[in-house]
Amino acid sequence: MGLSTHVLDTMNGCPAAGMAIALYSTDGDQATLIKRLVLNHDGRTDGPLFDNDSLRTGTYRLTFDVAAYFKARGVQLPEPNFLDRVSLDFGIAHADQHYHVPLLVSPWSYSTYRGS
């Protein structure tokens, strides 16, 4: 099961295909890049961010390049953008469980939750 994410573009009512994301491990104020990815046609990564064997307890950050995604779709954004990158800091307490971190996003707002 591991760790997964999914992004939905609530402005256009579709998956956020082509959005760039980055996954970091965190330790206090320190963040270490683990991987960078681009979301597929369904607004998901092609595989899990971590599979069952590589998921570890600890703290992590997912960063979503929201402004670049909306600009690429032709959305006129103010300068500076209201949202540039959205960073979600979260913890993995049970490495034997699946953690899904979805993002619902527009140029003006976002929400997340622990999905299944």
Side-chain angles (χ1 to χ4, degrees):
M1 300 277 255
L3 173 65
S4 59
T5 190
H6 184 204
V7 182
L8 295 174
D9 170 347
T10 59
M11 178 181 183
N12 296 295
C14 63
M19 182 180 287
I21 68 168
L23 174 65
Y24 299 85
S25 62
T26 60
D27 184 9
D29 291 337
Q30 297 286 90
T32 303
L33 179 66
I34 297 171
K35 60 177 81 174
R36 293 184 190 279
L37 302 149
V38 174
L39 300 178
N40 65 21
H41 69 283
D42 196 32
R44 300 175 186 269
T45 57
D46 288 330
L49 296 167
F50 284 121
D51 61 20
N52 286 350
D53 295 331
S54 59
L55 185 63
R56 301 286 181 260
T57 59
T59 55
Y60 297 91
R61 175 177 298 143
L62 273 169
T63 301
F64 302 85
D65 202 349
V66 172
Y69 164 79
F70 284 107
K71 285 179 184 177
R73 288 191 57 102
V75 176
Q76 296 295 318
L77 299 176
E79 288 296 333
N81 310 309
F82 181 69
L83 295 176
D84 187 22
R85 289 182 186 89
V86 170
S87 292
L88 303 176
D89 290 355
F90 60 96
I92 302 290
H94 304 283
D96 60 335
Q97 296 179 8
H98 180 68
Y99 283 76
H100 183 64
V101 183
L103 180 70
L104 307 174
V105 69
S106 80
W108 316 108
S109 68
Y110 67 91
S111 66
T112 190
Y113 53 95
R114 181 178 172 191
S116 59

